[in-house]
Amino acid sequence: MQEYDMGEIQWPAGYVPGFSDNFCSNEVIVRDLAVADIWPFLVEAARWPGYYANSSDIAIHGDKGPALELGDRFFFKTFGFPVDAEVVECVPPVEGQAARIAWHGWSGDDEHRLDVHHAWLIEELSGQRLRILTQETQNGAPAKELALARPNPMINGHQDWLDGLVAAARGAAA
């Protein structure tokens, strides 16, 4: 049996799954799409509301964009939270390696503060397959509440994001 090495998310201190207040992981593996098909729909944040209904009011600070880059600060609303964020990892598509983007986001103050690390990994697999992995860890009182919610809004919401991302890329490729 042939073995395959698949990439994993790179976690900053304080956000490692199992040590954070909440964690969610969603993944799809699809055929006949490439990293380059997906990448613009993910890094051009203004496109998110077009395929992911749980995002709105996106603004990239400092007249940057349209694509998010390392160090960019931006704002968006999701899951009822106004989120300020900063891109902390950005590895655009390169032949033979996974593309990555991650941001640290925060919302609220004091006991209502929510801090997140949201990361994406997109890699081409054998057989014209594409793997899209998104994982998020959260800290703070709102994260503890979200971790107890059933059905899990983070798992369901991020699955909608993945499904919409794939559909958008397929529509653009058609």
Side-chain angles (χ1 to χ4, degrees):
M1 174 180 234
Q2 186 173 359
E3 292 185 22
Y4 298 93
D5 184 30
M6 294 170 53
E8 59 186 81
I9 301 297
Q10 299 169 356
W11 296 102
Y15 293 91
V16 176
F19 297 105
S20 62
D21 293 326
N22 193 18
F23 169 71
C24 68
S25 179
N26 295 72
E27 176 179 38
V28 295
I29 297 177
V30 298
R31 289 187 47 105
D32 301 323
L33 282 175
V35 175
D37 297 325
I38 294 291
W39 189 250
F41 288 96
L42 189 55
V43 298
E44 293 176 21
R47 290 183 171 199
W48 298 349
Y51 66 86
Y52 179 49
N54 194 24
S55 64
S56 67
D57 301 320
I58 295 160
I60 301 174
H61 302 304
D63 295 322
K64 302 260 182 140
L68 294 170
E69 296 179 356
L70 184 64
D72 283 355
R73 301 270 313 259
F74 64 104
F75 173 87
F76 68 111
K77 290 183 181 173
T78 189
F79 292 100
F81 293 98
V83 178
D84 287 300
E86 180 177 355
V87 177
V88 295
E89 180 182 29
C90 188
V91 179
V94 172
E95 182 82 26
Q97 80 177 41
R100 300 171 173 275
I101 188 165
W103 52 82
H104 172 208
W106 58 94
S107 181
D109 293 316
D110 303 323
E111 71 272 2
H112 300 291
R113 184 173 170 98
L114 174 69
D115 279 280
V116 306
H117 181 80
H118 192 147
W120 295 79
L121 181 142
I122 311 161
E123 63 183 337
E124 293 175 2
L125 304 173
S126 64
Q128 294 181 299
R129 297 173 303 141
L130 182 71
R131 176 184 183 224
I132 309 168
L133 172 65
T134 186
Q135 295 182 328
E136 179 170 311
T137 57
Q138 305 171 338
N139 289 312
K144 292 174 184 174
E145 292 175 22
L146 284 168
L148 298 174
R150 297 294 179 267
N152 187 306
M154 300 303 297
I155 295 290
N156 293 339
H158 288 165
Q159 190 62 46
D160 288 345
W161 199 340
L162 280 171
D163 294 344
L165 179 62
V166 168
R170 286 198 190 285

